[in-house]
Structure formats: structure tokens, C-alpha cells
Amino acid sequence: MNFHAHYAGITQPVETCLVGSGGFGRSYLAQARKIPLVNARIAVDMTAEAAGRAFEAAGYARAEIALCETPAEAQAAWDAGKCVAAGRLETVIALPFQLLAEATGSPEAATRHSLMAIEAGRHVALVSKEADSVVGPGLARLAREKGVVITPVDGDQPSLLIALASWAEVLGLEIIAAGKSSEYDFVFDPATGSVTCNGVTKNLPELRQHWLGGEPSAVTRTAAERARILGEAYPLRAVPDLCEMTLVANALGFSADAAGFHAPPARIPEIADLFADKALGGLMSGERRIDVFHHLRLAEEASFAGGVFIVVRCDNAETWEMLAGKGHVVGHDAKTAMLYLPRHLLGVEVATSILDAVGLGRSGYGEDYRPRMDLVAVAQRDLAAGTVLTMGGHHHSIADVGAEVRPATALAPERPAPFYLVADRTLVRAVKAGDAIRLGDVEIAAGSDLLAMRRRQDAMFAGDVASV
């Protein structure tokens, strides 16, 4: 695609408002200064001072930044050509921006901000996958009814994987599996037997015996042995991975092959074999499945960089023999191949999604975003009534609570509840280890925007989600 030609019809910069100036937001503000077709001089955070610091981190001088507490102050700062920093979206919602980039990571706040923007006739780039996994399809439908677009963002894996899989299916390729590598690689040192992941090093010399996959037919057994060894030292499931793939499933109609994913530790040349059909020695029990893998590599080898992949059927031996000769990852029996995009550049890439939404009226979800799968909260140990399910940390996880990707159902007291709907709630009933947390197990305030929006979504798609 010639991107200059693709966006040639956009002649004026798109004005955006960023809400949430964490790592993603700061990288976006910094990159936006270099993009002729995007302006980003409105930022909202917990306080105006925090938003102002994000502008400074992006390279703006203090004299260029106005800390605003009222709509009048925000308007005056805008008219003066300054960067507007605020502590509430209400302070800046009347300014003439076209798109809200919601990057708070808070399920409740992201839902409220998105609804406010849609009501005001603004497009939304929904970076906060936490809210998206609970109410994204409903928000997308509301936006469409209002004549605006809500979209995921390039730079995060869901948007990139939706695009990769859609591209493949347009070409007639038959997808067996689609997924991503986990956020942090396992870097192995054969000399010492140590493994480093996200700055944590463990001595795991037994991994030497399972570094290479051995016979092609043994690749799944090798991955299982690696998982056993690594799983004693590191967690092999991360809620954000499952959350992101839930968005992909809802956009494309894919499903989880296993509710908690297979998530094998693997080297890049093994992916086409691992995510093949079981009949071919792989892990998959069907087609169009979502999953993740943990990239196992040497220090001198390139990372998958949290990138995305698809595994497709090879239905023309001559074609794939030629492509294998050019270095593409083809399975040992030439029945499957892995195609991949080894990058996700966070806020650096978000501009393409913004331009698609505002300039072209296109959403990265595609045209059929609906609640097909839910990210469900599952207790990992016995949880007593009164336990507060506090969400926190870089991964926005909940202590002693895992997640599974299951077919979506409408909310009901005795049905499993979405993971990020129960986040930061208090249990009113005890939950046993291994059980899903049900809606009736938690106390949710009557004024919850997230709960109200999920009920609206259930009503919108009443014929599409399970009612039993």
C-alpha cells in the first residue's frame, strides 16, 4: 500500500485529544509532533499537572503548556495556540478536536470517556482494551449510529492482527490459527543454562535438553516440556494476552482452541508446526483459532517483539516450496506456513488508525464487530467473601484471579462475569479455586457506567449472544 496516496485526500491535520498519558500516551504525544497530518495538543490525565508533565516529556517547553481547570481556561489556551493540559475530559470536551484517544486503561473511566466523546460527535481510538473486552462492540455500534467511528489502534496487537488476518483471507488463504507472541521473550543462555525474562534471570539447565524441537513430530511434546520447566519459574499466562485476543475473536469470528490458550514456549521456526491441526501433529483442534506463544530465543537472535502471526494451510506445493526456499517459515511437511509481523510500536503507530477513522471513516475492527467471546475471571485460589478484587500493576491484573476466553453470554447473576467488569469490586460470596467469578458474586455500584453499557450491549446483540 502506498500510504502517501492512501491519505492524499486528508488535507488538514486531524485534531486529537489524548486521555491517559502513561507510556502509550507519552510516546503518542512525542510521535505526533513529527506527523504533518495529526495534531495532539490536548491531553487529560488524573490532574492537569500530570498531563502537563506528559507534554514536557514529549519535548514541549513549559511556556507552550497551559494547565487548565475550567472549560473557559481551556478555550483561552486553545485560542492562544498552547497545549491544553487538564484533569477532566469535561474541561476540554467543547474544544474543536475530532478524535479522542482513550488510553487510561481503566474499564470504568474508558467507558465513560468513550460515551462522552460519542455523544459529542467525536471519533474514538480505544486504546483501553480493558473496557473494549467488556463493551467494545456496543460502543462501536453506538458510534456508528451517531455517525462516528470507534477503532482499535495500530501499535497494539489486536488492530495489527485483525489487519493481517483480514489481508490473508482477502487473498484466499485459509487460516488455522492467529495470535501474537507474549510481551517478554525467554532468552536462553546455553553456556550457563540460565533464562532471562523481563529482567528476571533463573537457572534452568534442564532446558538445554529441550532447546531444539527434535523430530518434527515431537514439536508439541518439546513445547510441553519447556512449559513444565519454565512454568516452575515464570508465569506462562498473562491476562493482557488473552484480553487482546478476545478483541480479535470478536472482530473476526475466531474462537479459542483452549479457554486458557495453549501458550507454548517456542522458537520462530516451530510456529507453523505447533499451530497446525492435531492431525498434522500440532495443537489446534479446528480452524480460525486464537492463541499466543512465548518466544524462546538466544540473546543474539532477533525478537518477535510482541508481534502477530497467522498460520495458514499450504494448498499448492509448488508455491510453498518456492517460498520456503526464500526463507518463509513452512511446516516440516509443507502443509502449513507461518506469516508474521514482528513489531508493535505502541503510540508510534497510532496515527494510521486515527487517519483511517477521521479521514476515511474506517474502523480497524472491520464491519462485523460483535460480542462473540468473553474474557472471563476465574479464581486461582479459594477467595473469601469480602475480598477486594484490586486491579493493578503493569498488566492490570488481579491477584489470585486468572482469565479464560469463553463464548460470550448475556449478563446474569449466576453466569461468569467479564474479567474487567469484576475488577476493583468486592466479593459478596466466596468463590472456590477453579470456579469462574459470577456476576452475583460481586458488588457493583448502581452508577457503574461499565455495567450499564454492558447491559445495553447485551440488549443490542440479544440475538447473537447465549442466553443460557
Side-chain angles (χ1 to χ4, degrees), residues 44-46 48 68-69 86-93 112-113:
V44 178
D45 208 313
M46 296 295 291
C68 303
E69 301 294 339
R88 300 172 69 242
L89 180 56
E90 289 85 346
T91 303
V92 300
I93 192 66
R112 182 174 67 84
H113 294 152

Side-chain angles (χ1 to χ4, degrees), residues 102-430:
E102 213 302 329
T104 62
S106 165
E108 284 284 352
T111 301
R112 182 174 67 84
H113 294 152
S114 297
L115 288 169
M116 191 185 306
I118 292 168
E119 185 62 30
R122 314 297 168 81
H123 304 282
V124 178
L126 188 53
V127 184
S128 297
K129 56 184 173 288
E130 298 83 358
D132 202 340
S133 68
V134 182
V135 296
L139 290 173
R141 180 168 286 190
L142 283 180
R144 188 162 59 248
E145 291 171 355
K146 283 283 188 178
V148 293
V149 168
I150 189 165
T151 185
V153 293
D154 290 345
D156 260 0
Q157 293 96 330
S159 181
L160 299 173
L161 184 52
I162 291 166
L164 178 62
S166 300
W167 164 83
E169 292 192 323
V170 165
L171 296 180
L173 296 172
E174 187 177 348
I175 298 174
I176 302 168
K180 53 166 278 191
S181 70
S182 56
E183 188 170 0
Y184 301 107
D185 294 349
F186 289 112
V187 181
F188 182 54
D189 183 346
T192 64
S194 66
V195 175
T196 300
C197 181
N198 191 23
V200 176
T201 299
K202 302 283 187 177
N203 191 35
L204 302 173
E206 188 184 357
L207 197 59
R208 290 193 190 101
Q209 303 170 38
H210 306 287
W211 168 244
L212 296 177
E215 291 296 321
S217 60
V219 66
T220 56
R221 293 196 299 273
T222 299
E225 286 300 302
R226 292 170 180 161
R228 176 184 60 79
I229 297 165
L230 291 166
E232 294 176 356
Y234 300 95
L236 294 182
R237 298 293 186 280
V239 173
D241 289 342
L242 279 75
C243 180
E244 290 174 339
M245 292 303 98
T246 300
L247 274 54
V248 174
N250 286 339
L252 298 177
F254 285 30
S255 61
D257 197 68
F261 289 3
H262 296 290
R267 298 167 59 245
I268 290 175
E270 301 163 350
I271 300 302
D273 285 320
L274 274 172
F275 291 101
D277 305 276
K278 286 185 176 179
L280 298 177
L283 294 167
M284 298 292 101
S285 59
E287 300 175 347
R288 306 182 88 234
R289 303 302 171 95
I290 50 171
D291 218 301
V292 301
F293 79 98
H294 301 281
H295 187 197
L296 182 63
R297 65 177 177 87
L298 302 177
E300 62 268 24
E301 293 179 320
S303 173
F304 209 87
V308 298
F309 72 91
I310 54 174
V311 172
V312 302
R313 295 198 191 283
C314 300
D315 55 4
N316 183 289
E318 183 178 355
T319 295
W320 290 102
E321 181 180 357
M322 174 187 68
L323 292 173
K326 292 181 178 293
H328 289 275
V329 179
V330 177
H332 74 278
D333 57 5
K335 299 292 186 183
T336 56
M338 188 265 286
L339 308 176
Y340 63 114
L341 189 66
R343 64 164 172 80
H344 76 296
L345 300 178
L346 303 174
V348 174
E349 290 184 79
V350 70
T352 51
S353 300
I354 290 171
L355 295 174
D356 282 346
V358 180
L360 305 177
R362 297 175 181 170
S363 169
Y365 297 122
E367 300 300 319
D368 191 30
Y369 195 46
R370 59 185 60 245
R372 295 173 165 106
M373 306 296 288
D374 265 330
L375 182 74
V376 170
V378 179
Q380 296 178 319
R381 66 168 179 84
D382 289 348
L383 300 173
T387 301
V388 180
L389 304 176
T390 304
M391 180 185 77
H394 173 68
H395 285 143
H396 287 186
S397 57
I398 301 172
D400 302 315
V401 178
E404 294 183 354
V405 179
R406 301 184 183 183
T409 62
L411 292 182
E414 301 307 313
R415 291 187 195 140
F419 185 94
Y420 286 109
L421 182 59
V422 306
D424 293 323
R425 319 294 185 186
T426 300
L427 286 177
V428 296
R429 301 188 297 206

